[in-house]
Each structure stands twice: as C-alpha cells, then as structure tokens.
Amino acid sequence: MVADTVNNWLKSYGLDYKLEQEGLNSEIDKALSEYASKNGGKGGNRPDVKLLLQDKHTDYWPILIEYKGYKDKLEKLDKDGRVDNRKKNNEPNYTNINSYAVNGAIHYANALLHYTSYTNIISIGVTGYKNEFGDLKIRIGVYFVSKDNFGIGQKVAEYSDLSFLKDFNFDNFIEKVKTLQLTNDEVEKLKERREKEIDSSLTKLNNDIYQKEKGLGENDRVYLVAASIIATLGVPGKVKPLNKEDLTSSLEENERDGDIIIRKVNSFLNEKNIPKTKKELIIRTLKNTLITENINKPVNGESQLKRVFSKIVDDLGIYYKIGLNTDFTGKLFNEMYSWLGFSQDKLNDVVLTPSYVAKLLVKLARIDKDSYVWDFATGSAGLLVASMNEMLNDAREKITSPDELYKKEAEIKAHQLLGLEILPSIYMLAVLNMIMMGDGSSNILNEDSLAQFDGKYSYGQTDKKFPATAFVLNPPYSAEGKGMIFVKRALSMMSKGYASVIIQGSAGSGKATEINKKILKSNRLLASIKMPVDLFVGKSSVQTYIYVFRVGEKHENDYPVKFIDFTNDGYTRRSRKKSSNNLRDTNHAKERYQEVVDLVKYGKRKLHYLTESEYYEGTIDINKGDDWNQTAPIDLKPTLDDFKKTISDYLAWKVTNILKNPNNKNERLKK
C-alpha cells in the first residue's frame, strides 16, 4: 500500500530510475553492504528507495527513502527531540532502527557518510495507514543528515507527498535545507554525544585488538590507527582514500599491505605540504610497525594488517569522516595505556587532560581568534586541539566574509599554535593528531622545551620569534617543581597575555617555592583553583590545582588572588574500564565550569552554583612562594548571638528533660 504510493509518486516525477541512470548505484550499494557487514547484518534491509539528485550547483544529493505501513511508526525521538538510534551505552538501537521509518533512513545515511565521499544526505521516512473510512493517510518526515550535524540529523519538515523532489521544486527544497543551522548549544550536545560514542568504539576496538591480535604493542596499535585514518582521509581531487579492497595481502616486494598504506600516507603528507624533515620522521616511525614481516604475512589469504585496518575503518571511520574536532589520538593513547601496568609516577606523566578540563584551561587563558598559543609539554596535543577549536569558533562568529574566514582559519592552523614534546612516541601522537584536525601540525616540535627551544618558529619563519600571547600546560609532575619549571621557562619568553596551568597541588604549597618566587617577579597570579581529587580517575589520583596568570605584570602583595574550591564540579566519576560512561553530569557541571571562568574574570558577583565558602579573595606573599593553595578562612571567635543561642538551647533541653521526668527531684533541684 505505502510502497505502491511511493513508487507511483516517483514514477510520475520521472525519478523511478534516476539512480541507475546516473550510473552511481554501485557506490551507494557497496557502502550499504559495508555498513550492514560492520553491524553483523543488523539494521534491517537496505532502504526501500535510493535516489541521487543534482541541484542547480551540480552538487549530488543522495536521497534515501524508508517506509512502514503502520500509523505510529514514522519516527522515534529521544528526550531531546533527536532521532533515537542509540542506547544508553551508545550501541545502535536496532529495535528503533528496524521499527521506525525515519530512524532506518538516518541509519542508512550514516553508511554513506562512513563509506562514501558524500557529506550531505536527505533521509525520508514514510508511513501510511487506512482510516475508518478506508482512506489512505500518509505521513512523511524529512531529515538532513550531514557531517556538519555529526550524522545525527536535523528535521527539515513533514510533507504530504514527495513532490519536493520534482525537478522544478528540488532547488527550492535544497535552499531550505541549507538554511538549517545548529545553535552552539546544540553543536556542543551533539559533539558530546558523538564523543561518548568514540570512547565506546575505541574501548571496543582496543579490547578486540588486545585480545585477538597477538604481537602488537601499545605503540603499534596507536600507529596502526593513525596510519589507517590518514590513509583513508584522502585529499579531494588529489589523493584517493584507501579502501579495504585495495589491500591484497600480497607477499610481493613493495606490494605488501604495509607498503600500500605507507605510499598512501606519503602521498597525503606530500599534498598537505608537511615539511620534509617532519614527513620523513612520520614515515620512518610508521614503517617500524607497518613493514614488519609478521603483520604482513597472509594467514588464510589475509594479513594481520588488513584485518586490523578493516576493524579500524569499520569502528572509527564514521567519526573522523564527520570531522569531529576532538583530541582523537589522545583518547586513543589513554585507551591503549589503560590496559597496561604503570607506576603511579609514570601514569601522572602521561595522563590525558580530560576535554572539559582542556576547554576550561583555554577559556581561563582568554584565547580567541587572534591569540598565539603554545604548550611546552604538549603530549598528544589535546590542549592545542582545544585551543584551535576555540580560535576557529571565535573566528567563525566574528568574521562574516567567507574569503577572510578561510584565510584566518589557515593562519590559525599554520602560524598561531606551537607545541613542544620531547618523547618521540608521544610527539608522533601530537603531530598525527593535528594532521587529522586538518592541519595544525606545522609547529609541533620534537625538542626539549627547557634546554633546546629558542622561542622561534621551527618551519618557514625560522628566524622569527613565536609571538606567544597565551600559554596552556599540563606538565609532567616528575619535572622540577612538580612541573613549575616549564611555567617559569614559558612565561620568561612572553611579554603579555595570559597563562593557565593544571598542576599537582604541592607545587603551590612548598615543592616549587624558589621557582614560584621567580615567576611572580614578572607575572601576576590571578587565581588558584582546587580541582576534584578524582579528576583523572582510573589514571592517577593526585590533588591538582589550576593557576591562572597575567603575563608581564609583576605581582604585588596587595593584589587580590581569587581562591576557588572547585572540588564539587558537578560531575560524578567512576573507574570502570569497560563502562560506556564513566563521567556523568549530576549537578549542573557545564554551568559550574563556566561560572569558574566568570569568577576569575569578573569576581564574586558571578557566584551562583558555587557557595561563598568556595570562593575567597585573599593575598599571597611574593617572598614565600608556598601560599598559593588557600581556602576561605573560618572565623572561630564566638559572638554574643552564639552565646545566647547556646544558653537558649541548654535551657530548652533542661525544661524538656524535667517535663519528661517530673518525679526526679534531683533534676528539679539542680541549679
């Protein structure tokens, strides 16, 4: 009934064979097959109708139509009004996908985002039923699924028929689609949702490789994921993305699977104009894993490398295809290391800064589109990724000219970020991370920031100083002064701006006294923020503080310092390796983090979620260097009101006791 109606409509519009006429049916069918295989055949059959229409700008738009012959099966939404295709543990909700027309169509659209070059898809759900008079009632829900909305989908409208697909209506329909915009709040919610899925997928992938793929160390796994992602990214019109079938598991010299991936990575790096020395380092490092004999040796016609490559593409492809600006390799790094045994000191040195803490540091350092940001112990570049996102968002809000915005985005990535990492394996993560972010890797340096770095650009403008105006840091706590030596070094090379560092609390209470006193000679301490002790739950358990500085202004004893007790940050954390969500917002966490930023910038009048006992403005002694971790003082001196209340409470107790025991003469006679 519904099927006949849909097919009759399309036939009357001349669209019933449109896809086959364009000769592109195989690419879309192949993507749908890949997606079905990835999900173990779950997710129902393929969409009932597949079209590929072209707008007036000659852009192709895949159209996927799914129909159900039931009254209430158009769409299943979650509490936020979004199509509900995921369970609480972030696994696909195949019950909804199979039962509801729109949910199924959006599920298939994600297959195209994952396995084709299409980034904009129209998903249509159709339901129909006959009322008590025998009349057919049709409902049509139309959604726009794109990399820009992270594959979740935005509702366009509901229609009574499919005539918006007709040639003379289609351009107007597409113009309406292009006006759809997400608010910043919606973008953040969708990113958060997708990032939880990434965490879940990384855990599943790592566990699968750890359990089933023998002979691969933690660095091997990280490099395999990074190489696979770069090889499948491609460069439009220049470098074709690598597909699974391109790996043949051959033993022929220079034609092994590892050789093929390395060639593709090399082509990608050439097109991205990566400096020669950096490109050679990347290729050399990846070769150490990709060209080994065991990983390329076919077993039952398939090499271990191809098998792992396929798992990576299937499990992670959708996330980097939709362009999530996240600390991807940092998440990967943390997941890999969660399966290994390390001493507490080692864990403290390699632990990843949580993304919401990275964002807090960036905001405290007042980073915007014109900032020049550096990190002297960059790790996987998570803080630089957060900085770059903040800078790009600020540029997009303030620059209205597309040409000017394009130039500014390129300038930010190429010239306004600089990171230093001394450990070669971690440095590789940072470079690959920023390449995948597209591409801020230009000034990621494999140097000792304390001994080698001279403050200059490393590539291109090698004779020019990096004009840093913002410094963010999560240092190795094993370094001198619990890492404050990095702060001293960086701030001594800056003349203005702001700095925010998260560091072990003992750095401000005696373990870095001399360093701190030197820092205060040319920098002002604005705030000291005590963070939750379980901030790095599952990785380390140290008390950390965030210190915020204004650079280039000598601290004076009378300057007020804002001491904030942020141990109650609104999040509840668990330490469970295989949990899909170890972090839950249980008490306005997002609002509390913004409040801390506002308190540091504007003062006590911004108190709302935090209490007055959690905020205190005091002073420090520039000659001490060990008084940076203060709390609001408690006045223990009793007042007259305290005395009166105590006497009142005592007399009330005596009277109550006498009334309860009227025959107790001793009680009545006592004075």
Side-chain angles (χ1 to χ4, degrees):
M1 180 174 62
V2 180
D4 291 341
T5 301
V6 170
N7 289 332
N8 287 337
W9 278 337
L10 296 176
K11 188 174 182 179
S12 68
Y13 307 154
L15 299 176
D16 48 338
Y17 297 109
K18 187 71 172 178
L19 184 61
E20 286 75 8
Q21 288 172 353
E22 298 295 346
L24 294 167
N25 189 42
S26 59
E27 182 185 10
I28 290 178
D29 272 343
K30 179 181 173 183
L32 294 169
S33 296
E34 290 273 13
Y35 208 55
S37 175
K38 168 187 179 293
N39 292 295
K42 297 178 181 178
N45 298 320
R46 298 178 190 176
D48 296 301
V49 177
K50 306 181 296 293
L51 304 171
L52 194 68
L53 306 185
Q54 198 172 29
D55 64 19
K56 63 184 179 183
H57 302 292
T58 71
D59 293 325
Y60 280 105
W61 292 77
I63 315 291
L64 304 181
I65 304 175
E66 177 77 1
Y67 42 72
K68 303 291 181 186
Y70 303 95
K71 180 179 180 180
D72 300 319
K73 295 298 181 181
L74 180 65
E75 58 191 13
K76 178 68 173 177
L77 306 180
D78 62 20
K79 60 183 178 61
D80 296 319
R82 297 286 176 190
V83 173
D84 190 7
N85 276 4
R86 290 277 172 175
K87 298 179 182 177
K88 288 184 178 180
N89 63 0
N90 290 310
E91 292 181 356
N93 190 329
Y94 290 113
T95 299
N96 292 349
I97 290 167
N98 292 331
S99 300
Y100 294 88
V102 164
N103 298 63
I106 288 180
H107 174 74
Y108 301 126
N110 274 268
L112 303 194
L113 288 179
H114 193 155
Y115 291 107
T116 74
S117 58
Y118 297 112
T119 57
N120 297 304
I121 300 106
I122 303 300
S123 293
I124 302 173
V126 183
T127 59
Y129 68 98
K130 286 187 176 180
N131 63 15
E132 64 271 24
F133 304 108
D135 298 325
L136 181 62
K137 298 296 181 180
I138 294 287
R139 288 186 65 199
I140 301 173
V142 182
Y143 279 74
F144 172 49
V145 182
S146 166
K147 63 175 291 185
D148 293 331
N149 57 43
F150 310 110
I152 303 296
Q154 293 169 269
K155 190 167 187 174
V156 181
E158 287 195 21
Y159 292 86
S160 58
D161 61 28
L162 297 177
S163 58
F164 59 89
L165 297 177
K166 285 184 176 180
D167 284 346
F168 56 82
N169 291 331
F170 190 63
D171 285 331
N172 288 334
F173 168 73
I174 292 301
E175 291 305 312
K176 180 177 182 178
V177 168
K178 288 181 177 179
T179 65
L180 295 176
Q181 290 186 338
L182 295 171
T183 66
N184 289 336
D185 186 53
E186 287 176 319
V187 169
E188 288 303 314
K189 284 183 178 179
L190 292 179
K191 284 177 66 176
E192 182 179 330
R193 182 168 164 180
R194 280 303 202 186
E195 287 206 2
K196 287 179 180 177
E197 293 175 26
I198 290 176
D199 290 336
S200 179
S201 294
L202 282 172
T203 301
K204 175 179 176 293
L205 174 67
N206 187 45
N207 189 28
D208 191 24
I209 296 176
Y210 180 81
Q211 298 290 344
K212 298 178 182 178
E213 303 295 342
K214 305 304 178 185
L216 297 176
E218 66 277 4
N219 283 340
D220 291 326
R221 283 176 270 158
V222 172
Y223 295 151
L224 280 172
V225 173
S228 299
I229 290 173
I230 290 176
T232 54
L233 282 176
V235 178
K238 301 289 182 65
V239 180
K240 181 183 176 183
L242 189 69
N243 296 315
K244 289 186 285 188
E245 59 269 21
D246 295 328
L247 301 182
T248 60
S249 300
S250 170
L251 283 175
E252 183 181 346
E253 187 175 358
N254 295 323
E255 291 300 325
R256 295 169 298 175
D257 290 340
D259 298 315
I260 295 170
I261 293 176
I262 287 293
R263 284 202 297 271
K264 189 63 70 173
V265 171
N266 193 59
S267 297
F268 176 91
L269 297 178
N270 283 336
E271 287 298 330
K272 289 292 185 177
N273 296 316
I274 302 297
K276 182 180 179 182
T277 54
K278 183 173 291 185
K279 185 188 76 171
E280 290 174 348
L281 173 63
I282 294 171
I283 295 297
R284 186 167 62 249
T285 303
L286 295 180
K287 270 187 175 181
N288 291 335
T289 294
L290 295 173
I291 306 300
T292 56
E293 181 178 351
N294 286 338
I295 201 173
N296 283 283
K297 183 167 62 177
V299 176
N300 297 324
E302 183 180 56
S303 70
Q304 183 184 40
L305 180 51
K306 181 174 182 177
R307 190 165 59 247
V308 173
F309 177 89
S310 299
K311 290 176 183 176
I312 292 166
V313 172
D314 287 342
D315 287 352
L316 301 180
I318 181 64
Y319 303 115
Y320 58 81
K321 284 291 186 70
I322 61 178
L324 273 177
N325 290 330
T326 188
D327 180 7
F328 201 99
T329 63
K331 286 177 177 289
L332 176 64
F333 174 83
N334 244 23
E335 176 54 38
M336 297 300 173
Y337 276 73
S338 69
W339 293 93
L340 304 173
F342 278 102
S343 69
Q344 197 65 44
D345 286 342
K346 183 64 175 175
L347 274 172
N348 289 345
D349 273 1
V350 302
V351 69
L352 171 72
T353 309
S355 59
Y356 59 96
V357 178
K359 186 174 181 179
L360 174 63
L361 291 171
V362 165
K363 287 186 174 295
L364 289 171
R366 308 190 190 188
I367 291 170
D368 60 23
K369 65 181 178 62
D370 297 317
S371 297
Y372 285 79
V373 187
W374 60 9
D375 180 350
F376 274 36
T378 200
S380 66
L383 293 180
L384 291 183
V385 169
S387 299
M388 184 172 76
N389 289 340
E390 187 74 11
M391 297 161 80
L392 293 174
N393 288 338
D394 186 53
R396 289 161 188 161
E397 286 182 8
K398 295 176 179 176
I399 299 175
T400 56
S401 165
D403 286 345
E404 288 181 20
L405 178 60
Y406 178 82
K407 291 177 183 177
K408 186 59 178 177
E409 288 176 337
E411 177 72 15
I412 287 171
K413 294 175 183 180
H415 301 298
Q416 292 179 224
L417 298 158
L418 188 146
L420 296 144
E421 177 54 53
I422 191 172
L423 297 176
S425 59
I426 309 301
Y427 163 73
M428 273 297 300
L429 287 177
V431 170
L432 294 169
N433 212 1
M434 298 304 280
I435 285 175
M436 288 189 290
M437 292 301 100
D439 158 358
S441 73
S442 299
N443 295 292
I444 306 296
L445 316 180
N446 185 204
E447 293 183 10
D448 184 339
S449 54
L450 302 178
Q452 292 177 279
F453 182 55
D454 61 1
K456 295 180 180 179
Y457 284 99
S458 180
Y459 302 100
Q461 309 174 76
T462 54
D463 60 339
K464 183 179 178 183
K465 291 279 187 181
F466 184 81
T469 59
F471 175 58
V472 286
L473 180 73
N474 179 6
Y477 303 153
S478 60
E480 184 181 350
K482 294 297 181 180
M484 287 301 291
I485 188 67
F486 288 94
V487 181
K488 175 179 172 291
R489 174 69 171 166
L491 300 192
S492 71
M493 303 171 77
M494 298 172 65
S495 60
K496 63 180 180 178
Y498 293 87
S500 61
V501 303
I502 184 166
I503 201 162
Q504 203 170 96
S506 57
S509 60
K511 294 294 186 181
T513 300
E514 295 305 316
I515 295 174
N516 291 349
K517 288 193 289 186
K518 291 176 181 176
I519 289 173
L520 294 177
K521 288 182 178 180
S522 55
N523 304 281
R524 178 177 172 181
L525 180 64
L526 297 179
S528 169
I529 305 164
K530 185 179 183 181
M531 300 301 288
V533 72
D534 60 351
L535 194 67
F536 300 102
V537 63
K539 308 297 187 302
S540 61
S541 56
V542 296
Q543 180 61 65
T544 56
Y545 278 73
I546 292 176
Y547 300 130
V548 184
F549 302 90
R550 180 178 294 150
V551 180
E553 179 181 358
K554 179 182 178 180
H555 196 96
E556 298 179 12
N557 282 343
D558 288 336
Y559 280 151
V561 178
K562 293 160 185 172
F563 296 97
I564 301 172
D565 182 351
F566 199 43
T567 51
N568 179 15
D569 70 345
Y571 283 118
T572 299
R573 301 169 182 83
R574 297 183 298 177
S575 179
R576 294 170 58 182
K577 281 185 179 179
K578 297 183 181 180
S579 173
S580 62
N581 185 12
N582 281 331
L583 183 75
R584 291 184 297 121
D585 185 340
T586 53
N587 190 10
H588 303 285
K590 292 177 183 175
E591 293 82 359
R592 286 171 177 267
Y593 272 79
Q594 182 57 48
E595 184 170 317
V596 167
V597 175
D598 293 338
L599 285 170
V600 173
K601 193 171 184 179
Y602 303 113
K604 185 177 180 178
R605 63 189 177 89
K606 290 296 184 179
L607 272 177
H608 180 67
Y609 293 100
L610 274 67
T611 65
E612 291 198 8
S613 64
E614 293 170 313
Y615 177 85
Y616 163 62
E617 290 190 10
T619 60
I620 60 172
D621 187 337
I622 60 174
N623 295 312
K624 290 185 67 176
D626 61 357
D627 56 350
W628 291 14
N629 300 343
Q630 300 180 34
T631 56
I634 300 174
D635 187 2
L636 299 177
K637 182 180 178 180
T639 65
L640 180 59
D641 287 340
D642 293 330
F643 176 74
K644 289 179 179 179
K645 186 177 187 307
T646 300
I647 295 300
S648 175
D649 291 344
Y650 174 73
L651 291 174
W653 173 80
K654 288 293 290 182
V655 171
T656 301
N657 208 35
I658 291 171
L659 291 174
K660 285 182 178 178
N661 301 281
N663 297 321
N664 191 331
K665 294 181 179 180
N666 290 331
E667 281 294 333
R668 285 187 287 119
L669 293 173
K670 281 181 181 177
K671 295 181 180 179

